Amino acid sequence: MSEFPNAEKIKADEISAVHRQEIKKIIDDLAKVTKFLSYLLPFSSQLHQKGVTPLLVGFLANGDVAAKKYAEVMLLAARQPWADVERSGR
């Protein structure tokens, strides 16, 4: 007999299913951002040769995982030699 007679066994995979879906969406969104940035790279390089550099502006709207990943991707893009960056500490 159990020490907790009113306890109910809950399967972890049922609870984690929602989180797996959220993580999959984040990964899919990051893949789209990466694909878009790689699409822009040749154009940006051409502009850079002409002395024109794009200004990348990123907004971290909240502290969730997706927003933080977006900020990381924007920072990686900003480190490219063809990009100017305006940073704000707000």
Side-chain angles (χ1 to χ4, degrees):
M1 185 153 190
S2 171
E3 183 179 339
F4 304 99
N6 295 327
E8 182 180 338
K9 190 181 234 183
I10 300 172
K11 294 184 177 181
D13 59 339
E14 294 172 3
I15 295 171
S16 66
V18 174
H19 300 291
R20 283 194 308 269
Q21 291 169 357
E22 289 177 15
I23 291 169
K24 183 184 181 316
K25 184 183 179 321
I26 290 168
I27 291 170
D28 290 345
D29 290 346
L30 285 175
K32 291 175 188 173
V33 169
T34 303
K35 184 177 179 180
F36 178 69
L37 288 174
S38 65
Y39 170 78
L40 286 180
L41 184 59
F43 300 109
S44 297
S45 295
Q46 291 170 6
L47 289 172
H48 179 67
Q49 291 171 356
K50 296 178 181 180
V52 178
T53 55
L55 176 64
L56 296 177
V57 179
F59 297 94
L60 183 57
N62 54 43
D64 71 9
V65 176
K68 288 180 182 178
K69 273 296 177 194
Y70 171 78
E72 288 174 15
V73 170
M74 289 301 293
L75 185 58
L76 286 173
R79 291 184 177 147
Q80 301 302 317
W82 45 261
D84 287 336
V85 182
E86 186 174 297
R87 290 191 176 101
S88 172
R90 293 185 208 186

